[in-house]
Coordinates of all heavy atoms in Angstrom, one line a residue:
A8 N 0.8 -1.2 0.0 CA 0.0 0.0 0.0 C 0.9 1.2 0.0 O 1.9 1.3 0.6 CB -0.9 0.0 1.2
D9 N 0.5 2.2 -0.7 CA 1.2 3.5 -0.7 C 0.7 4.4 0.5 O -0.3 4.1 1.1 CB 1.2 4.2 -2.0 CG -0.2 4.7 -2.4 OD1 -1.1 4.9 -1.5 OD2 -0.4 5.0 -3.6
M10 N 1.5 5.4 0.7 CA 1.2 6.3 1.9 C -0.2 6.9 1.8 O -0.9 7.0 2.8 CB 2.3 7.4 2.0 CG 2.3 8.1 3.3 SD 2.7 7.1 4.7 CE 4.4 6.8 4.4
A11 N -0.6 7.3 0.6 CA -1.9 7.9 0.5 C -3.0 6.9 0.8 O -4.0 7.3 1.4 CB -2.1 8.5 -1.0
E12 N -2.9 5.7 0.4 CA -3.9 4.6 0.7 C -3.9 4.4 2.2 O -5.0 4.2 2.7 CB -3.5 3.4 -0.1 CG -4.6 2.3 0.1 CD -4.2 1.0 -0.6 OE1 -3.1 0.8 -1.1 OE2 -5.1 0.2 -0.7
I13 N -2.8 4.3 2.8 CA -2.7 4.1 4.3 C -3.4 5.3 5.0 O -4.2 5.1 5.9 CB -1.3 3.9 4.8 CG1 -0.8 2.5 4.2 CG2 -1.3 3.9 6.3 CD1 0.6 2.2 4.5
N14 N -3.0 6.5 4.6 CA -3.7 7.7 5.2 C -5.2 7.6 5.1 O -5.9 7.9 6.0 CB -3.1 9.0 4.5 CG -1.7 9.3 5.0 OD1 -1.3 8.9 6.0 ND2 -1.0 10.1 4.2
E15 N -5.7 7.3 3.9 CA -7.1 7.2 3.7 C -7.7 6.1 4.6 O -8.8 6.2 5.2 CB -7.4 6.9 2.3 CG -8.9 6.8 1.9 CD -9.2 6.6 0.5 OE1 -8.4 7.0 -0.4 OE2 -10.2 5.9 0.2
A16 N -7.0 4.9 4.7 CA -7.5 3.8 5.5 C -7.6 4.1 7.0 O -8.5 3.6 7.6 CB -6.7 2.6 5.2
I17 N -6.7 4.9 7.5 CA -6.7 5.2 8.9 C -7.4 6.5 9.3 O -7.7 6.7 10.5 CB -5.3 5.2 9.5 CG1 -4.5 6.3 8.9 CG2 -4.6 3.9 9.3 CD1 -3.1 6.5 9.5
D18 N -7.8 7.3 8.4 CA -8.4 8.6 8.7 C -9.7 8.4 9.5 O -10.7 7.7 9.0 CB -8.7 9.3 7.4 CG -9.3 10.7 7.6 OD1 -8.8 11.4 8.6 OD2 -10.2 11.1 6.9
G19 N -9.7 8.9 10.7 CA -10.9 8.9 11.5 C -11.2 7.5 12.2 O -12.2 7.4 12.9
L20 N -10.3 6.6 12.1 CA -10.4 5.3 12.8 C -9.6 5.2 14.1 O -8.5 5.7 14.1 CB -10.0 4.2 11.9 CG -10.8 3.8 10.7 CD1 -10.2 2.6 10.0 CD2 -12.2 3.4 11.1
S21 N -10.2 4.6 15.1 CA -9.4 4.3 16.3 C -8.5 3.2 16.0 O -8.7 2.4 15.0 CB -10.4 4.0 17.4 OG -11.0 2.7 17.2
Q22 N -7.5 3.0 16.8 CA -6.6 1.8 16.7 C -7.4 0.5 16.7 O -7.1 -0.4 16.0 CB -5.5 1.8 17.8 CG -4.6 0.7 17.7 CD -3.7 0.7 16.5 OE1 -3.5 1.7 15.9 NE2 -3.1 -0.4 16.2
Y23 N -8.4 0.5 17.6 CA -9.2 -0.7 17.7 C -9.9 -1.1 16.4 O -9.9 -2.2 16.0 CB -10.3 -0.5 18.8 CG -11.2 -1.6 19.0 CD1 -10.9 -2.8 19.7 CD2 -12.5 -1.6 18.4 CE1 -11.8 -3.8 19.8 CE2 -13.4 -2.6 18.6 CZ -13.0 -3.7 19.3 OH -13.9 -4.8 19.4
H24 N -10.6 -0.1 15.8 CA -11.3 -0.3 14.6 C -10.3 -0.6 13.4 O -10.7 -1.4 12.5 CB -12.2 0.9 14.2 CG -13.4 0.9 15.1 ND1 -13.5 1.8 16.2 CD2 -14.5 0.1 15.1 CE1 -14.7 1.5 16.8 NE2 -15.3 0.6 16.2
W25 N -9.2 0.0 13.4 CA -8.2 -0.4 12.4 C -7.8 -1.8 12.5 O -7.8 -2.5 11.5 CB -6.9 0.5 12.5 CG -5.7 -0.1 11.9 CD1 -4.7 -0.7 12.6 CD2 -5.4 -0.2 10.5 NE1 -3.7 -1.1 11.7 CE2 -4.2 -0.9 10.4 CE3 -6.1 0.1 9.4 CZ2 -3.6 -1.2 9.2 CZ3 -5.5 -0.2 8.2 CH2 -4.3 -0.8 8.1
Q26 N -7.5 -2.3 13.7 CA -7.1 -3.7 13.9 C -8.3 -4.7 13.6 O -8.0 -5.7 13.0 CB -6.6 -3.9 15.3 CG -5.3 -3.3 15.6 CD -4.1 -3.9 14.9 OE1 -4.2 -5.0 14.5 NE2 -3.0 -3.2 14.9
R27 N -9.5 -4.3 14.0 CA -10.6 -5.2 13.8 C -11.2 -5.2 12.4 O -11.8 -6.2 12.0 CB -11.7 -4.9 14.9 CG -11.2 -5.1 16.3 CD -11.2 -6.5 16.7 NE -12.5 -7.1 16.6 CZ -12.9 -8.1 17.3 NH1 -12.2 -8.6 18.2 NH2 -14.1 -8.6 17.0
E28 N -11.2 -4.1 11.8 CA -12.0 -3.9 10.5 C -11.1 -3.7 9.3 O -11.1 -4.4 8.3 CB -13.0 -2.8 10.7 CG -14.0 -3.1 11.8 CD -14.9 -1.9 12.1 OE1 -14.9 -0.9 11.3 OE2 -15.6 -2.0 13.1
K29 N -10.4 -2.6 9.3 CA -9.6 -2.2 8.1 C -8.4 -3.1 7.8 O -8.2 -3.4 6.7 CB -9.2 -0.7 8.2 CG -8.9 -0.1 6.9 CD -10.1 -0.1 6.0 CE -9.7 0.6 4.7 NZ -10.8 0.6 3.8
R30 N -7.7 -3.4 8.8 CA -6.5 -4.2 8.6 C -6.8 -5.6 7.9 O -6.1 -5.9 6.9 CB -5.7 -4.5 9.9 CG -4.5 -5.3 9.8 CD -3.8 -5.6 11.0 NE -2.8 -6.6 10.8 CZ -1.8 -6.8 11.7 NH1 -1.7 -6.1 12.8 NH2 -0.9 -7.7 11.4
P31 N -7.8 -6.3 8.4 CA -8.1 -7.6 7.7 C -8.5 -7.4 6.3 O -8.1 -8.2 5.4 CB -9.2 -8.2 8.6 CG -9.1 -7.6 9.9 CD -8.5 -6.2 9.7
E32 N -9.2 -6.3 6.0 CA -9.6 -6.0 4.6 C -8.4 -5.8 3.8 O -8.3 -6.3 2.6 CB -10.5 -4.8 4.7 CG -11.0 -4.3 3.3 CD -11.8 -3.0 3.5 OE1 -12.6 -2.9 4.3 OE2 -11.5 -2.1 2.6
M33 N -7.5 -5.0 4.3 CA -6.3 -4.6 3.5 C -5.4 -5.8 3.3 O -4.7 -6.0 2.3 CB -5.5 -3.5 4.1 CG -6.3 -2.2 4.0 SD -5.4 -0.8 4.7 CE -4.2 -0.4 3.4
E34 N -5.3 -6.7 4.4 CA -4.5 -7.9 4.3 C -5.0 -8.9 3.2 O -4.3 -9.4 2.4 CB -4.4 -8.6 5.6 CG -3.5 -7.9 6.6 CD -3.5 -8.6 8.0 OE1 -4.5 -9.1 8.4 OE2 -2.4 -8.6 8.6
R35 N -6.4 -9.0 3.2 CA -7.0 -9.9 2.2 C -6.7 -9.4 0.8 O -6.5 -10.2 -0.2 CB -8.5 -10.0 2.4 CG -8.9 -10.9 3.6 CD -10.4 -11.1 3.6 NE -11.2 -9.9 3.8 CZ -11.5 -9.4 4.9 NH1 -11.0 -9.9 6.1 NH2 -12.2 -8.3 5.0
G36 N -6.6 -8.1 0.6 CA -6.3 -7.5 -0.7 C -4.8 -7.4 -1.0 O -4.4 -6.9 -2.0
G37 N -4.0 -8.0 -0.1 CA -2.6 -8.0 -0.4 C -1.9 -6.7 -0.3 O -0.8 -6.5 -0.8
R38 N -2.5 -5.7 0.4 CA -2.0 -4.4 0.5 C -1.1 -4.1 1.7 O -0.7 -3.0 1.9 CB -3.1 -3.4 0.4 CG -3.8 -3.5 -1.0 CD -4.8 -2.4 -1.2 NE -5.7 -2.2 -0.1 CZ -7.0 -2.6 0.0 NH1 -7.5 -3.2 -1.0 NH2 -7.7 -2.3 1.1
L39 N -0.8 -5.1 2.5 CA 0.0 -4.9 3.7 C 1.2 -5.8 3.7 O 1.8 -6.1 4.8 CB -0.8 -5.1 5.0 CG -2.0 -4.1 5.2 CD1 -2.7 -4.4 6.5 CD2 -1.5 -2.7 5.2
S40 N 1.7 -6.1 2.5 CA 2.9 -7.0 2.4 C 4.1 -6.5 3.1 O 5.0 -7.2 3.5 CB 3.1 -7.4 1.0 OG 3.4 -6.3 0.2
A41 N 4.2 -5.2 3.2 CA 5.4 -4.5 3.8 C 5.3 -4.2 5.3 O 6.1 -3.6 5.9 CB 5.8 -3.3 3.0
L42 N 4.1 -4.6 5.8 CA 3.9 -4.4 7.3 C 4.9 -5.1 8.1 O 5.2 -6.3 7.9 CB 2.5 -4.9 7.6 CG 2.0 -4.7 9.1 CD1 1.7 -3.3 9.3 CD2 0.8 -5.6 9.3
L43 N 5.4 -4.4 9.1 CA 6.4 -4.9 10.0 C 5.8 -5.0 11.4 O 5.1 -4.1 11.8 CB 7.6 -4.0 10.1 CG 8.4 -3.8 8.8 CD1 9.5 -2.8 9.1 CD2 9.0 -5.1 8.3
E44 N 6.0 -6.1 12.1 CA 5.4 -6.3 13.5 C 6.5 -6.7 14.4 O 7.5 -7.4 14.0 CB 4.3 -7.3 13.5 CG 3.1 -6.9 12.7 CD 1.9 -7.9 12.8 OE1 2.1 -9.0 12.3 OE2 0.9 -7.5 13.4
C45 N 6.4 -6.4 15.7 CA 7.4 -6.8 16.7 C 6.7 -6.8 18.0 O 5.6 -6.2 18.2 CB 8.6 -6.0 16.7 SG 8.3 -4.3 17.2
V46 N 7.3 -7.5 19.0 CA 6.9 -7.4 20.4 C 8.0 -6.8 21.2 O 9.2 -7.2 21.1 CB 6.6 -8.9 20.9 CG1 6.3 -8.8 22.4 CG2 5.5 -9.5 20.1
I47 N 7.7 -5.7 21.9 CA 8.6 -5.0 22.7 C 8.5 -5.6 24.2 O 7.4 -5.6 24.7 CB 8.3 -3.5 22.8 CG1 8.3 -3.0 21.3 CG2 9.3 -2.8 23.6 CD1 9.5 -3.1 20.6
K48 N 9.6 -6.0 24.7 CA 9.7 -6.5 26.1 C 10.0 -5.5 27.1 O 10.6 -4.4 26.7 CB 10.7 -7.7 26.1 CG 10.3 -8.8 25.1 CD 11.3 -9.9 25.1 CE 10.9 -11.0 24.1 NZ 12.0 -11.8 23.7
P49 N 9.8 -5.7 28.4 CA 10.1 -4.7 29.4 C 11.6 -4.3 29.3 O 12.5 -5.2 29.1 CB 9.9 -5.5 30.7 CG 8.8 -6.5 30.4 CD 9.1 -6.9 28.9
G50 N 11.8 -3.0 29.4 CA 13.2 -2.5 29.3 C 13.6 -2.2 27.8 O 14.7 -1.6 27.6
E51 N 12.8 -2.6 26.8 CA 13.2 -2.3 25.5 C 12.5 -1.0 25.0 O 11.5 -0.6 25.6 CB 12.8 -3.5 24.6 CG 13.6 -4.7 24.9 CD 13.2 -5.9 23.9 OE1 12.1 -5.9 23.4 OE2 14.1 -6.7 23.8
M52 N 13.0 -0.5 23.9 CA 12.4 0.7 23.3 C 12.4 0.6 21.8 O 13.3 -0.1 21.2 CB 13.3 1.9 23.7 CG 12.9 3.2 23.2 SD 13.9 4.6 23.8 CE 15.4 4.3 22.8
L53 N 11.5 1.2 21.2 CA 11.4 1.2 19.7 C 11.2 2.7 19.2 O 10.4 3.4 19.8 CB 10.2 0.4 19.3 CG 10.0 0.3 17.8 CD1 11.2 -0.5 17.1 CD2 8.7 -0.5 17.5
Y54 N 12.1 3.0 18.3 CA 12.0 4.4 17.7 C 11.3 4.4 16.3 O 11.6 3.5 15.5 CB 13.5 4.9 17.5 CG 13.6 6.1 16.7 CD1 13.2 7.4 17.2 CD2 14.0 6.1 15.3 CE1 13.3 8.5 16.4 CE2 14.1 7.2 14.6 CZ 13.7 8.4 15.1 OH 13.8 9.6 14.4
F55 N 10.4 5.3 16.1 CA 9.7 5.5 14.9 C 10.3 6.7 14.2 O 10.1 7.8 14.7 CB 8.2 5.6 15.1 CG 7.6 4.4 15.6 CD1 7.2 4.3 17.0 CD2 7.4 3.3 14.9 CE1 6.6 3.2 17.5 CE2 6.8 2.1 15.4 CZ 6.4 2.1 16.7
P56 N 10.8 6.6 13.0 CA 11.3 7.8 12.3 C 10.1 8.7 12.0 O 8.9 8.3 12.0 CB 11.9 7.3 11.0 CG 12.3 5.9 11.3 CD 11.2 5.4 12.3
D57 N 10.4 10.0 11.8 CA 9.4 11.0 11.5 C 8.5 10.5 10.3 O 9.0 10.1 9.3 CB 10.0 12.3 11.2 CG 9.1 13.5 11.0 OD1 8.1 13.5 11.8 OD2 9.3 14.3 10.2
G58 N 7.2 10.6 10.5 CA 6.3 10.3 9.5 C 5.9 8.8 9.3 O 5.1 8.5 8.5
W59 N 6.5 8.0 10.1 CA 6.1 6.5 10.1 C 4.8 6.3 10.7 O 4.5 6.7 11.8 CB 7.2 5.7 10.8 CG 8.3 5.3 9.9 CD1 9.0 6.1 9.0 CD2 9.0 4.1 9.9 NE1 10.0 5.4 8.4 CE2 10.0 4.2 9.0 CE3 8.8 2.9 10.6 CZ2 10.9 3.1 8.7 CZ3 9.7 1.8 10.3 CH2 10.7 2.0 9.4
H60 N 3.9 5.6 10.0 CA 2.7 5.1 10.6 C 3.0 4.0 11.6 O 3.9 3.2 11.3 CB 1.7 4.6 9.5 CG 1.2 5.7 8.7 ND1 1.7 6.0 7.5 CD2 0.2 6.6 8.9 CE1 1.1 7.0 6.9 NE2 0.1 7.4 7.7
H61 N 2.3 4.0 12.7 CA 2.5 2.9 13.6 C 1.3 2.7 14.5 O 0.5 3.7 14.6 CB 3.7 3.2 14.5 CG 3.6 4.4 15.4 ND1 3.8 5.6 14.9 CD2 3.3 4.5 16.7 CE1 3.6 6.5 15.9 NE2 3.3 5.8 17.0
G62 N 1.1 1.6 15.1 CA 0.0 1.3 16.0 C 0.6 0.4 17.1 O 1.6 -0.2 17.0
V63 N -0.2 0.5 18.2 CA 0.3 -0.3 19.4 C -0.9 -1.1 19.9 O -2.0 -0.6 20.0 CB 0.7 0.7 20.5 CG1 1.1 -0.1 21.7 CG2 1.9 1.5 20.0
V64 N -0.6 -2.4 20.2 CA -1.6 -3.2 20.8 C -0.9 -3.7 22.1 O 0.2 -4.3 22.0 CB -2.0 -4.4 19.9 CG1 -2.9 -5.4 20.7 CG2 -2.6 -4.0 18.6
N65 N -1.5 -3.4 23.2 CA -0.9 -3.9 24.5 C -1.3 -5.3 24.8 O -2.5 -5.6 24.8 CB -1.4 -2.9 25.6 CG -0.9 -1.5 25.4 OD1 0.3 -1.3 25.2 ND2 -1.8 -0.6 25.4
M66 N -0.3 -6.1 25.0 CA -0.6 -7.5 25.3 C -1.0 -7.8 26.8 O -1.6 -8.8 27.1 CB 0.6 -8.4 24.9 CG 1.2 -8.1 23.6 SD 0.2 -8.6 22.2 CE 0.7 -10.3 22.1
E67 N -0.6 -6.9 27.6 CA -0.8 -7.0 29.1 C -0.9 -5.6 29.6 O -0.6 -4.6 29.0 CB 0.4 -7.7 29.8 CG 0.6 -9.1 29.3 CD 1.8 -9.8 29.9 OE1 2.3 -9.3 31.0 OE2 2.3 -10.8 29.4
P68 N -1.4 -5.5 30.9 CA -1.3 -4.2 31.6 C 0.1 -3.6 31.5 O 1.1 -4.4 31.5 CB -1.8 -4.4 33.0 CG -2.5 -5.7 32.9 CD -1.9 -6.5 31.8
Y69 N 0.2 -2.3 31.4 CA 1.5 -1.7 31.1 C 1.7 -0.4 31.7 O 0.8 0.3 32.2 CB 1.7 -1.6 29.6 CG 0.7 -0.5 29.0 CD1 1.1 0.8 28.9 CD2 -0.6 -0.8 28.8 CE1 0.3 1.8 28.4 CE2 -1.5 0.1 28.3 CZ -1.0 1.4 28.1 OH -1.9 2.4 27.7
T70 N 2.9 0.1 31.8 CA 3.3 1.4 32.1 C 4.2 1.9 30.9 O 5.1 1.1 30.6 CB 4.1 1.5 33.4 OG1 3.2 1.1 34.5 CG2 4.5 3.0 33.7
A71 N 4.0 3.0 30.4 CA 4.8 3.4 29.2 C 5.1 4.9 29.3 O 4.5 5.7 29.9 CB 4.0 3.2 27.9
F72 N 6.3 5.2 28.7 CA 6.7 6.6 28.5 C 6.7 6.8 27.0 O 7.3 6.1 26.2 CB 8.1 6.8 29.0 CG 8.8 8.1 28.6 CD1 8.4 9.2 29.3 CD2 9.7 8.1 27.6 CE1 8.9 10.5 28.9 CE2 10.2 9.3 27.2 CZ 9.9 10.5 27.8
V73 N 5.9 7.9 26.6 CA 5.8 8.2 25.2 C 6.1 9.7 25.1 O 5.7 10.5 25.9 CB 4.4 8.0 24.7 CG1 4.2 8.4 23.3 CG2 4.0 6.5 24.9
S74 N 7.0 10.0 24.2 CA 7.4 11.4 24.0 C 7.5 11.7 22.5 O 7.8 10.9 21.7 CB 8.7 11.6 24.7 OG 9.1 13.0 24.6
T75 N 7.3 13.0 22.2 CA 7.5 13.5 20.9 C 8.6 14.5 20.9 O 8.5 15.5 21.7 CB 6.2 14.1 20.3 OG1 5.2 13.1 20.3 CG2 6.4 14.6 18.9
F76 N 9.6 14.4 20.1 CA 10.7 15.4 20.1 C 10.5 16.2 18.9 O 10.3 15.7 17.8 CB 12.0 14.6 20.1 CG 12.2 13.8 21.3 CD1 11.9 12.4 21.2 CD2 12.8 14.3 22.4 CE1 12.1 11.6 22.4 CE2 12.9 13.5 23.6 CZ 12.6 12.2 23.5
M77 N 10.5 17.5 19.1 CA 10.3 18.4 18.0 C 11.5 19.4 17.9 O 12.1 19.8 18.9 CB 9.0 19.2 18.2 CG 7.8 18.4 18.4 SD 6.3 19.3 18.7 CE 6.0 20.0 17.1
E78 N 11.9 19.7 16.6 CA 12.9 20.6 16.4 C 12.4 22.0 16.6 O 11.3 22.4 16.2 CB 13.5 20.5 15.0 CG 14.2 19.2 14.8 CD 14.8 19.1 13.4 OE1 15.2 20.2 12.9 OE2 14.8 18.0 12.8
R79 N 13.3 22.9 17.2 CA 12.9 24.3 17.4 C 13.5 25.1 16.2 O 14.7 24.9 15.9 CB 13.4 24.8 18.7 CG 13.0 26.2 19.0 CD 13.5 26.7 20.3 NE 15.0 26.8 20.1 CZ 15.8 27.5 20.9 NH1 15.3 28.0 22.0 NH2 17.0 27.6 20.7
D80 N 12.7 25.9 15.7 CA 13.2 26.8 14.6 C 14.2 27.8 15.3 O 14.0 28.4 16.3 CB 12.1 27.6 14.0 CG 12.5 28.5 12.9 OD1 13.7 28.6 12.6 OD2 11.6 29.0 12.2
D81 N 15.4 27.9 14.7 CA 16.5 28.8 15.3 C 16.0 30.2 15.4 O 16.6 30.9 16.3 CB 17.7 28.7 14.4 CG 18.5 27.4 14.5 OD1 18.2 26.7 15.5 OD2 19.2 27.1 13.6
D82 N 15.1 30.7 14.6 CA 14.6 32.0 14.7 C 13.5 32.2 15.8 O 13.1 33.3 16.1 CB 14.0 32.5 13.4 CG 15.0 32.5 12.3 OD1 16.2 32.8 12.6 OD2 14.7 32.3 11.1
E83 N 13.1 31.1 16.4 CA 12.1 31.0 17.4 C 12.6 31.5 18.8 O 13.7 31.2 19.2 CB 11.5 29.6 17.5 CG 10.2 29.5 18.2 CD 9.7 28.0 18.1 OE1 9.6 27.5 17.0 OE2 9.5 27.5 19.2
D84 N 11.8 32.3 19.4 CA 12.1 32.8 20.8 C 12.0 31.7 21.8 O 10.9 31.1 21.9 CB 11.2 34.0 21.1 CG 11.6 34.6 22.5 OD1 12.6 34.2 23.1 OD2 10.8 35.5 22.9
P85 N 13.0 31.3 22.5 CA 12.9 30.2 23.4 C 12.0 30.4 24.6 O 11.6 29.5 25.4 CB 14.3 29.9 23.9 CG 15.1 31.2 23.7 CD 14.3 31.9 22.5
A86 N 11.6 31.7 24.9 CA 10.8 32.0 26.0 C 9.4 31.7 25.7 O 8.5 31.3 25.5 CB 10.9 33.4 26.4

């Protein structure tokens, strides 16, 4: 699937509905052949490059730290 197709497929959907409804439909159509999946264990971390689509399914109760790092424009006032 190309980026535009993925954007359209996820627009307005919760992660739950994507997993339950849209994902199986796209898999049957052969449009998720490049999909990557992994299981993150306690103490591990996964980095997503800017612009990467991603979803999370929690296998068990969890505690997580999630952060977004943004570049500051050099002309921007830091105050």
Side-chain angles (χ1 to χ4, degrees):
D9 65 21
M10 194 65 70
E12 183 180 13
I13 292 172
N14 285 337
E15 182 180 328
I17 64 175
D18 186 40
L20 288 181
S21 69
Q22 178 67 21
Y23 176 80
H24 285 103
W25 157 254
Q26 291 289 343
R27 297 285 299 209
E28 298 170 12
K29 197 63 177 179
R30 178 181 172 164
E32 175 186 318
M33 292 183 78
E34 285 176 327
R35 284 190 299 275
R38 295 188 315 253
L39 296 180
S40 60
L42 180 72
L43 301 174
E44 294 183 296
C45 65
V46 175
I47 304 300
K48 298 176 183 162
E51 295 181 333
M52 179 177 73
L53 183 62
Y54 168 76
F55 296 102
D57 187 39
W59 273 40
H60 290 96
H61 64 280
V63 176
V64 175
N65 297 307
M66 310 291 274
E67 299 177 17
Y69 67 96
T70 300
F72 168 76
V73 178
S74 184
T75 300
F76 299 95
M77 302 177 73
E78 291 184 34
R79 185 181 70 165
D80 185 351
D81 289 339
D82 297 330
E83 198 174 300
D84 182 6

